[in-house]
Amino acid sequence: MSLPELAAASGLHRVGARPPLRQYLVEAWRRKDFIFTMAKFRLRAGLERSRLGVVWLVLQPALNALIYGLIFGILQGDKRPPDYAAHVVIGVFLFQFFAGSFTQGARSITGNQALVQSLAFPRLTLPVAEVIEQFMSLLPSLGLLVVILPVMGHWPTWHWLLMIPLLVLFTLFNTGIALIAARLTVHLRDLTQLLPFISRILFYTSGVLFDVNRIFDQAPWAVVLYDFHPLYQVLQMARDAMMGGHDYNHLYWLYFSIWAVVTLVFGLLFFWVAEERYGRD
Amino acid sequence: MDVTEHNVSPTAAAGVEPRPVVVVDDLHVKYRVFISGKAIKRAAQQRIAARGRGIRTVHALRGVSFVARENESIGVIGPNGSGKSTLMRALTGLTPPAAGAVYASTRPNLLGVGAALIPDLSGDRNITLGCLALGLTRKEVEEVRDEIIDYSTLRRAIDLPMRTYSSGMQAKLKFAIATVREHEILIVDEALAVGDKAFRRRSEARIREIRDNAGTVFLVSHSMTSIRDTCSRTLWLQDGLLVMDGPTDEVVAAYEESTPEEERPRRRGR
């Protein structure tokens, strides 16, 4: 009897074979406690040794918004968007959730090499945990928004509740992005070096700091293009929900829902296909 | 100490072939690594490197086959770089084979929870994290928490950040977490080399306990004493090939015979 026959006769399975998608997702779901705990503990560990601790979760995005707001406020002159301060704060805070999911998600496999090589669990948990961690660190800055928007003259309205479905969609979208980026860096390590630049470019082109209609008033085709820019859609919807008076295409909700679902589904499949590949070298 | 006492499992003694749990069939593992510096020039001269960046393929395992059965504890010995750890990682499925295959009844577990832990957090939180990483549920973690703390003998230090622990203390905690789950097939790679003598004794006892509960244990070690005390069978690897596979006494004796005294690792049990 040959060895594979012996294995088959004794009911043994090949080790490390990628499970079918359904089973894979079920196994990943079973690890939900692990995902949440890892996200929470990592976030905490990152802050534990600094004196201000959790305060940094608010301070860091606030300083970011302040500096970018100042520089771009001066550079743009009278092309500044109306209600500039609120525009920038919402833009910068929400964009950080995307940028964090993207860059940290991309490193979730390559940066956890030792873990991937020593324990067997669905690797999906690693990028997802990164997105959850980024979401947790977004919450304090959302709290800050709730405090400072009234100071800027935007009182809470029922429209603020639209932020909840928006954040759900945004999280799905970011998870898809994190999964895609996580696999890409495994194949091409050099991407890790490019990540900060890609994220920077997106930051400057997604309408975080400017008003697309004013900047591109000479180029209407560019404005049309922005109608299909998922990050720009998120920011515009959030601004309309929290500041009101933003004239935006309400089809954005439909567009972005499609973006979110398609990105997530594609990300899941794309990541799952290479499951056996992770931790190989 | 009577060596044979733990070494022969009851079923094996009775002459009944126990059920196979791991079958390794002509396993090859290759690593691709980038080479640099002097090696790249040499490679270019010899035309080993394919293109621009020198990529060298290391053939870490070159056709290893064996069958492991229930209730066996198998020692794995060989000089550094002989492919021991590669073989263990291939058993867990973490390193995919270039050719051949590994079959197992359940996925073998590497006794290595260390990578999931966060040094800046307390031992207590790391117990939570480590157990969840091993696949326990929240409720199960609370049930075994005390057992882990007692077993690691770190009760007084459990609220301190893990980075403040000595390497021996860290090893104890990791071992205690990793063995809390019932493993059907467990791989222990050099974990027993650290920790004090009392802890080593107890961890060896734990391994025998796992084996006696119908488990199968692989132990990679340079300590022939550990191998003799815990393993009934031993595999000797050299340059990615299985040189010898048989009862521990014979294999260890042959291995020690072949290795000159001064090259043999110093880290010997007692």
Side-chain angles (χ1 to χ4, degrees), chain B residues 111 113-115 117 162 169-179:
Chain B
L111 187 63
V113 73
L117 309 184
M162 213 177 73
M169 287 160 80
Q170 292 191 12
K172 282 182 188 184
L173 184 65
K174 288 171 188 169
F175 187 85
I177 296 173
T179 55

Side-chain angles (χ1 to χ4, degrees), chain A residues 13 15 31 33 37 44 117, chain B residues 94 102 104 125 132-133 138:
Chain A
H13 311 285
V15 166
R31 299 285 180 140
D33 285 340
T37 309
R44 202 181 310 201
Q117 287 185 343
Chain B
L94 297 166
V102 176
R125 283 193 182 144
L132 291 173
R138 278 249 157 205

Side-chain angles (χ1 to χ4, degrees), chain A residues 236-258:
Chain A
Q236 285 304 96
M237 288 190 285
R239 282 172 188 143
D240 185 63
M242 298 197 83
M243 298 158 63
H246 267 70
D247 190 23
Y248 75 101
N249 189 344
H250 285 268
L251 278 177
Y252 278 11
W253 279 98
L254 176 68
Y255 292 163
F256 190 65
S257 303
I258 295 172

Side-chain angles (χ1 to χ4, degrees), chain A residues 50-143:
Chain A
S50 57
R51 274 164 198 253
L52 291 178
V54 190
V55 179
W56 278 115
L57 288 182
V58 179
L59 214 53
Q60 203 249 344
L63 288 174
N64 247 334
L66 190 70
I67 290 167
Y68 283 111
L70 256 174
I71 295 173
F72 279 79
I74 294 167
L75 286 179
Q76 287 182 86
D78 56 353
K79 287 206 165 181
R80 259 195 315 251
D83 218 338
Y84 185 59
H87 184 100
V88 166
V89 173
I90 295 177
V92 169
F93 286 8
L94 284 183
F95 188 85
Q96 273 205 336
F97 179 31
F98 167 79
S101 305
F102 172 58
T103 53
Q104 295 306 307
R107 294 193 178 99
S108 60
I109 300 293
T110 50
N112 286 311
Q113 198 74 7
L115 179 56
V116 172
Q117 287 185 343
S118 58
L119 286 180
F121 53 83
R123 305 310 180 200
L124 177 72
T125 50
L126 293 172
V128 172
E130 291 292 354
V131 176
I132 305 271
E133 183 182 336
Q134 295 301 322
F135 184 77
M136 288 172 173
S137 62
L138 170 72
L139 290 176
S141 41
L142 286 182

Side-chain angles (χ1 to χ4, degrees), chain A residues 3-4 6-7 10 12-15 31 33-34 37 41-42 44-45 48-49 114-120 123 276, chain B residues 20 23-25 67 89 91-94 96 102-105 107 112 115-116 118 120-121 125 132-133 135 138 163:
Chain A
L3 287 174
L6 174 69
S10 327
L12 309 186
H13 311 285
R14 193 168 73 78
V15 166
R31 299 285 180 140
D33 285 340
F34 175 53
T37 309
F41 282 4
R42 284 206 174 147
R44 202 181 310 201
E48 204 126 277
R49 289 176 91 169
L115 179 56
V116 172
Q117 287 185 343
S118 58
L119 286 180
R123 305 310 180 200
E276 291 183 33
Chain B
V23 172
V24 177
D25 176 29
V67 177
R89 283 221 298 274
L91 285 188
T92 60
L94 297 166
V102 176
Y103 304 90
S105 56
R107 192 164 187 166
I118 302 176
D120 275 339
L121 295 179
R125 283 193 182 144
L132 291 173
R138 278 249 157 205
R163 73 186 130 82

